[in-house]
Amino acid sequence: DAKTTQPPSMDCAEGRAANLPCNHSTISGNEYVYWYRQIHSQGPQYIIHGLKNNETNEMASLIITEDRKSSTLILPHATLRDTAVYYCIVRARGEGQNFVFGPGTRLSVLP
Amino acid sequence: GAGVSQSPSNKVTEKGKDVELRCDPISGHTALYWYRQSLGQGLEFLIYFQGNSAPDKSGLPSDRFSAERTGGSVSTLTIQRTQQEDSAVYLCASSLGQGASEQYFGPGTRLTVT
C-alpha cells in the first residue's frame, strides 16, 4: 500500500509554478513525507522531504498542512525538463526498508 | 562523484534462460535496494541489503529470483528460468544506511524476455 493519493496527471505552463498535491490522511506521527521524480527512461531522483514544517531547497518547496494529512510540492518556475512522474511517499525515518512508490502524478510542462 | 551504476543497460533473453543483473552502489553506501518497474507501472520493491545483516527478501516475487551482495558493495540480482512476465526495468538504489533519507537510483537494466 502506497499510503498516499495523487492525481494521475497534471499540466503546467513553462515558467509558471507547478503545484502537485498529495493526500496522506493515515500518516503516522513519526512518518516523513518524501518526494521523488522520475524522468522518462531514468531512475527516480530524490527531491525533498519533510516532517511537519515547510521545507525548501534548490529544487522545490514542500508545504505540509498543519494536520499533516496532505502536502503540496511546488516547483516555482517549471521548465520543460521538469516533465516527469512525481511520487509522494510517506515513510518513517530510520526505517531501512524500501520506499513504497505509488503510480505518482505525471506532470507535463507545456511550452 | 560516481553514482549508482548498473549493467547491462539492456538485456534480451529467451524464456527459460537465467540472467544476472549487476549493481555498483555509491562507495560508502551500506544500504542497497533492488526494485523493478514494469511498463507504465510504479516501482515494486524486491530486496534490501543493509550492511552485514540478513537481507530483506520480502519483495521477491518467486523463488526464481535471488540476489547477493559481495563484500558489502556490488550486488547481483539473478533470475532463473526467466518468464515473459519478468520483462521490466530493474532498478538498483543505494543509501548511506538506516536513517538516511535519500536513496540514489541507478539508470536501471531493461530486461526483455522473448
Side-chain angles (χ1 to χ4, degrees):
Chain A
D1 293 331
K3 300 185 185 179
T4 63
T5 304
Q6 299 176 252
S9 64
M10 292 182 63
D11 291 340
C12 176
E14 187 179 17
R16 303 296 295 269
N19 297 284
L20 293 95
C22 180
N23 287 320
H24 31 79
S25 59
T26 62
I27 192 170
S28 300
N30 66 339
E31 287 183 319
Y32 285 68
V33 180
Y34 295 84
W35 283 83
Y36 278 74
R37 74 180 182 183
Q38 188 172 24
I39 296 170
H40 183 62
S41 299
Q42 298 182 21
Q45 176 191 22
Y46 166 81
I47 301 174
I48 199 168
H49 76 281
L51 182 62
K52 55 183 178 181
N53 297 324
N54 298 336
E55 302 288 344
T56 296
N57 63 21
E58 66 279 4
M59 290 183 68
S61 295
L62 174 60
I63 308 299
I64 303 174
T65 58
E66 190 169 345
D67 64 7
R68 303 211 321 124
K69 293 186 177 182
S70 65
S71 61
T72 302
L73 179 75
I74 301 173
L75 307 178
H77 305 287
T79 70
L80 298 179
R81 290 176 296 177
D82 292 321
T83 293
V85 178
Y86 287 77
Y87 298 99
C88 170
I89 302 160
V90 297
R91 193 186 80 157
R93 194 168 190 185
E95 289 181 346
Q97 61 264 40
N98 57 296
F99 283 91
V100 178
F101 287 78
T105 295
R106 181 172 298 280
L107 175 68
S108 298
V109 180
L110 307 174
Chain B
V4 177
S5 61
Q6 293 186 244
S7 61
S9 56
N10 282 284
K11 177 71 177 179
V12 180
T13 190
E14 293 180 351
K15 178 181 173 181
K17 301 282 189 180
D18 298 351
V19 294
E20 285 189 353
L21 312 179
R22 177 187 169 105
C23 172
D24 284 87
I26 293 172
S27 178
H29 281 193
T30 60
L32 186 147
Y33 307 76
W34 282 99
Y35 298 81
R36 73 175 175 182
Q37 187 171 32
S38 301
L39 186 62
Q41 302 298 310
L43 275 71
E44 175 189 3
F45 166 73
L46 297 177
I47 189 169
Y48 156 65
F49 296 89
Q50 171 58 56
N52 295 320
S53 302
D56 175 358
K57 305 179 181 180
S58 60
L60 294 178
S62 78
D63 59 7
R64 296 186 296 104
F65 287 72
S66 63
E68 63 178 22
R69 189 178 184 193
T70 54
S73 181
V74 172
S75 177
T76 302
L77 177 69
T78 301
I79 309 173
Q80 296 178 310
R81 305 181 302 281
T82 53
Q83 304 294 313
Q84 288 186 331
E85 60 263 29
D86 299 335
S87 295
V89 175
Y90 288 80
L91 290 156
C92 175
S94 70
S95 73
L96 284 170
Q98 284 190 325
S101 300
E102 301 93 300
Q103 292 184 11
Y104 296 87
F105 284 80
T109 293
R110 181 174 297 279
L111 174 66
T112 303
V113 182
T114 61

